[in-house]
């Protein structure tokens, strides 16, 4: 999420794997909406393979599966109760971060010191 010049992204880690982050939360919402992992991937502009890898990683990271799939091709997919709970908790975490940033004077002070765009790179004369 972006707050002016500040960009924050909450990620929950499982070892070195990202168990949940903004992209995976978006994917869970798309699966709930579309009823299919492949359709969710298409809606988000992701390849079929990438979508399935993300779902597999989430299901391996959490104690309970977040996404349940039907058997065979075209079986559909749904969020499990755990998937709905994890998604809701993650979105609540994002909202808490948004609220904290808005209430932080230090953030406002930093933002006031930033340029709107960076200066052009200084020309560098090679040493001879």
């Amino acid at each position: 999420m972006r707050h002016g010049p500040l960009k924050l992204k909450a990620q929950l880690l499982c070892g070195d794997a990202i168990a949940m982050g903004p992209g995976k939360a978006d994917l869970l919402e798309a699966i709930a909406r579309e009823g299919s992992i492949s359709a969710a991937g298409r809606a988000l502009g992701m390849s079929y393979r990438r979508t399935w890898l993300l779902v597999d990683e989430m299901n391996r990271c959490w104690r309970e599966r977040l996404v349940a799939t039907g058997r065979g091709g075209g079986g559909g997919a749904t969020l499990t109760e755990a998937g709905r709970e994890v998604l809701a908790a993650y979105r609540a975490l994002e909202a808490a971060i948004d609220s904290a940033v808005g209430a932080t004077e230090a953030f406002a002070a930093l933002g006031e010191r930033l340029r709107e765009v960076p200066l052009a790179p200084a020309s560098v004369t090679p040493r001879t």
Side-chain angles (χ1 to χ4, degrees):
M1 63 206 99
R2 189 163 179 160
H3 300 274
L6 177 66
K7 180 180 178 184
L8 295 174
K9 149 169 91 166
Q11 292 180 325
L12 289 101
L13 302 177
C14 173
D16 290 334
I18 299 170
M20 182 60 57
K24 287 182 177 171
D26 291 346
L27 177 56
L28 289 180
E29 288 175 343
I31 291 169
R33 183 178 61 250
E34 302 292 332
S36 157
I37 293 171
S38 56
R42 283 190 301 275
L44 296 173
M46 281 188 216
S47 73
Y48 176 82
R49 177 175 164 68
R50 177 74 178 141
T51 306
W52 276 93
L53 289 173
L54 291 172
V55 169
D56 180 60
E57 185 171 53
M58 283 188 282
N59 280 341
R60 289 182 295 107
C61 284
W62 296 90
R63 291 176 194 243
E64 299 174 66
R65 295 173 65 86
L66 303 188
V67 177
T69 57
R71 296 258 180 217
T78 59
L79 298 190
T80 63
E81 182 64 27
R84 288 187 297 276
E85 290 171 359
V86 166
L87 177 59
Y90 180 80
R91 291 304 192 202
L93 173 63
E94 286 184 317
I97 291 169
D98 280 345
S99 179
V101 167
T104 302
E105 289 181 31
F107 165 66
L110 284 172
E112 290 172 9
R113 298 184 71 127
L114 280 172
R115 298 177 190 278
E116 289 200 28
V117 295
L119 295 174
S123 63
V124 178
T125 306
R127 291 185 176 177
T128 56

